[in-house]
Amino acid sequence: MNHEIPTVPQNDPAETIMAALAHGLTGHPEKAPALFEPFILGGYATALGLCAALAETTVRLDRQNLPEDSAYGLLVLDAKTGRHGSTNDLPPGIRFAAQFTAAWANNDRDTAHDLFDALVHTGSEEAADALAVGIRALYDMAVTILREQTSRTEGSAQ
């Protein structure tokens, strides 16, 4: 049975996000922005909800496997030097995605909301661009994690 992946937003926001992720998994991430547009145009709550859903997709399984009293973090490496870096050295949108994901993974919703607020409440064009880059980074992380999980599942089934 062949099912078409929706290319327009669905009535259920979760179905819309799942369709965007499915496009990423099938090699068509360029179809995601049109699906995410209503979340962005919907305002603060829907844009924050999109970020939260993408971050949750990225960290859900890893968070479940963390030992008790552990924290989730992201490792930053300089691709040229191979040395450890800081999220503070990343461009604003990428920095937002990394810090938001880590806060979300650690169930620190207040920090995640503060990061989102700090990015969007300036109302500047730079902030809008950083949010777009951040959402794309959150999306790319979620697709990458889903792809890894899918390949592990397929590999263990053989």
Side-chain angles (χ1 to χ4, degrees), residues 1-154:
M1 186 181 310
N2 187 11
H3 295 284
E4 290 290 319
I5 301 170
T7 57
V8 297
Q10 303 297 290
N11 290 332
D12 181 348
E15 289 180 17
T16 301
I17 293 169
M18 289 187 320
L21 292 169
H23 284 298
L25 287 170
T26 59
H28 300 285
E30 72 281 359
K31 294 182 180 180
L35 292 166
F36 290 157
E37 190 171 297
F39 292 94
I40 307 308
L41 297 177
Y44 179 91
T46 58
L48 176 59
L50 173 61
C51 292
L54 294 171
E56 181 65 25
T57 301
T58 300
V59 303
R60 185 179 59 83
L61 288 178
D62 285 337
R63 186 188 320 116
Q64 291 172 351
N65 295 324
L66 277 178
E68 194 172 324
D69 297 327
S70 294
Y72 184 94
L74 295 174
L75 180 63
V76 177
L77 293 174
D78 183 311
K80 293 178 184 171
T81 67
R83 292 192 166 161
H84 292 270
S86 167
T87 56
N88 293 328
D89 299 331
L90 298 171
I94 304 298
R95 179 176 57 239
F96 161 75
Q99 293 173 336
F100 186 92
T101 299
W104 194 264
N106 291 314
N107 292 313
D108 188 352
R109 304 302 190 247
D110 289 340
T111 297
H113 290 171
D114 289 347
L115 290 163
F116 187 82
D117 287 345
L119 187 64
V120 301
H121 275 140
T122 65
S124 69
E125 191 170 317
E126 292 83 15
D129 290 343
L131 179 60
V133 169
I135 290 171
R136 179 57 194 249
L138 288 166
Y139 172 76
D140 289 343
M141 287 190 291
V143 168
T144 299
I145 290 296
L146 289 172
R147 188 172 287 128
E148 287 177 10
Q149 291 169 355
T150 301
S151 67
R152 276 186 258 156
T153 303
E154 290 173 352

